[in-house]
Amino acid sequence: MGMLMRPHRWTPPRPTARARQTRSDPPMPQIRLLPLPGNGPEDVVVLPDGRIVTGTDDGAIWRVDPASGTVERIADAGGRPLGMHAEADGALLICVAGRGILRLAEAGADLEVVVGEIDGAPIAFPSNVIRDDDGTTYFSISSRRWPFEEWMTDILEHSGSGQLVRRDPDGHLEVLVDGLQFANGVVLAPDRSCLLVAETGAYRITRYWLTGPRAGTTDYVAENLPGSPDNMLVGSDGLVWVGMVSPRNPLLDRLFPLPGILRRLVDALPDRLTPAPVRSVWVLAFDFDGTLVHDLQRDGADYALVTAVAEHNGTLYLGSLSEPAIAVTSVPVT
């Protein structure tokens, strides 16, 4: 199955009426916070025993008991932890900026590098990872041009250098899709028919078919989203839960069609003059046909920049790019 190339140039469509919605119905229930000793739990995953794991911007990997709030440091990633995947035995796969895909077999163990480079080039910006039961690993690379610390530069440049990659159990690597706009969250369909990958820079969720007559091709599960999708996980309810880091920024929508050099000039401006994420608490949930099942929002007074959501038996655990806590809420009963 060869590498599927995608065009780099992309002009965002005008937001639809659905995209302009700013209030969910029913509203997201009240949130409570599980404080952390560090900032920026960019991804959150639920272990088989119900505890939560996340990583913070100081490189620490934390295991959290959601009932008691007890926080335990279980590893140091040696870089910025990003997307994670919990295996059935409790082992973790962790995307670490500047290091690649690492594996933590158990608390306190040394981290093993699973994938550190592709064709001799280091993986500087791995974003999200998932592993199938047969040992096949899938992961996304947000950008091959810019490191994690300059993620906004990649968004503004709109480099389209993101990738979706497969690692076979024997270690063979294959780029399944190239040219993605800031590739982010990755999920595998329970029936192994397809992979979904969030394109944060294009407001969409792309589907890559693994089986059937469309195997090796892509289409879209969701397009023209009203905000930027980030990490994704399949919940215990079978839905694809998506962290929405921010509503769409009208200035970004106007900038994307412009020549790259003009967008780079904007990036060079002082931070106060460049597009900034809007503070909000926002998650979506889709089925694998792309039907929107939940659109849950709150204002961002107490929490914001939701980059991850893990659903477990009706409870939602939220991660953030900047907050010093995991947020906990629930799926509304309708």
Side-chain angles (χ1 to χ4, degrees):
M1 196 180 299
M3 180 171 67
L4 181 64
M5 303 295 293
R6 298 177 60 85
H8 287 191
R9 189 166 181 82
W10 173 81
T11 300
R14 293 179 60 84
T16 63
R18 177 66 182 175
R20 290 194 293 269
Q21 179 177 327
T22 58
R23 181 170 56 86
S24 61
D25 186 20
M28 178 185 288
Q30 186 70 36
I31 63 173
R32 65 181 177 94
L33 301 181
L34 297 173
L36 296 170
N39 295 317
E42 199 271 346
D43 199 11
V44 289
V45 294
V46 180
L47 294 172
D49 64 8
R51 288 182 291 181
I52 310 163
V53 172
T54 191
T56 48
D57 60 8
D58 58 357
I61 307 299
W62 305 97
R63 186 166 57 194
V64 184
D65 185 331
S68 66
T70 303
V71 180
E72 176 188 6
R73 186 175 185 140
I74 60 172
D76 188 336
R80 182 43 158 118
L82 298 170
M84 297 182 176
H85 170 71
E87 299 182 19
D89 62 358
L92 295 169
L93 291 177
I94 307 169
C95 295
V96 182
R99 298 195 66 191
I101 312 298
L102 279 63
R103 186 174 188 269
L104 179 67
E106 60 183 3
D110 293 334
L111 277 76
E112 168 197 358
V113 177
V114 178
V115 186
E117 60 183 37
I118 297 178
D119 294 331
I123 302 174
F125 199 163
S127 188
N128 206 260
V129 61
I130 191 165
R131 183 180 182 273
D132 200 356
D133 294 340
D134 67 358
T136 304
T137 303
Y138 303 94
F139 61 93
S140 59
I141 296 173
S142 288
S143 174
R144 285 175 291 123
R145 285 183 50 79
W146 300 99
F148 166 77
E149 293 78 12
E150 299 188 65
W151 63 270
M152 191 63 194
T153 299
D154 189 87
I155 293 289
L156 281 170
E157 184 183 79
H158 225 53
S159 71
S161 63
Q163 295 179 320
L164 178 64
V165 185
R166 176 173 59 205
R167 179 188 184 272
D168 294 331
D170 63 3
H172 174 72
L173 296 172
E174 181 179 2
V175 177
L176 300 178
V177 187
D178 201 0
L180 296 169
Q181 293 290 353
F182 205 90
N184 217 315
V186 178
V187 298
L188 175 65
D191 64 0
R192 277 64 179 173
S193 63
C194 66
L195 292 162
L196 305 184
V197 56
E199 289 191 76
T200 303
Y203 311 122
R204 66 192 176 201
I205 299 172
T206 295
R207 174 169 48 195
Y208 176 84
W209 289 98
L210 294 169
T211 62
R214 290 175 285 182
T217 68
T218 63
D219 57 15
Y220 303 120
V221 165
E223 293 184 86
N224 193 22
L225 290 172
S228 301
D230 206 293
N231 291 317
M232 305 190 297
L233 282 173
V234 178
S236 61
D237 54 9
L239 298 176
V240 179
W241 285 88
V242 186
M244 299 294 287
V245 68
S246 174
R248 283 169 66 158
N249 185 301
L251 177 56
L252 272 181
D253 278 1
R254 290 194 294 270
L255 286 173
F256 283 149
L258 298 178
I261 189 171
L262 296 180
R263 297 195 301 273
R264 290 296 305 278
L265 289 174
V266 172
D267 185 46
L269 295 173
D271 288 346
R272 69 180 186 278
L273 300 178
T274 58
V278 176
R279 288 187 61 88
S280 64
V281 184
W282 192 6
V283 301
L284 302 176
F286 295 89
D287 64 22
F288 275 88
D289 292 325
T291 300
L292 181 65
V293 180
H294 296 290
D295 178 352
L296 306 178
Q297 304 177 41
R298 293 185 64 87
D299 68 72
D302 300 320
Y303 204 79
L305 297 181
V306 174
T307 49
V309 53
E311 186 275 339
H312 183 66
N313 296 334
T315 299
L316 301 176
Y317 301 102
L318 313 183
S320 167
L321 191 62
S322 59
E323 300 289 341
I326 295 169
V328 185
T329 184
S330 60
V331 181
V333 178
T334 57

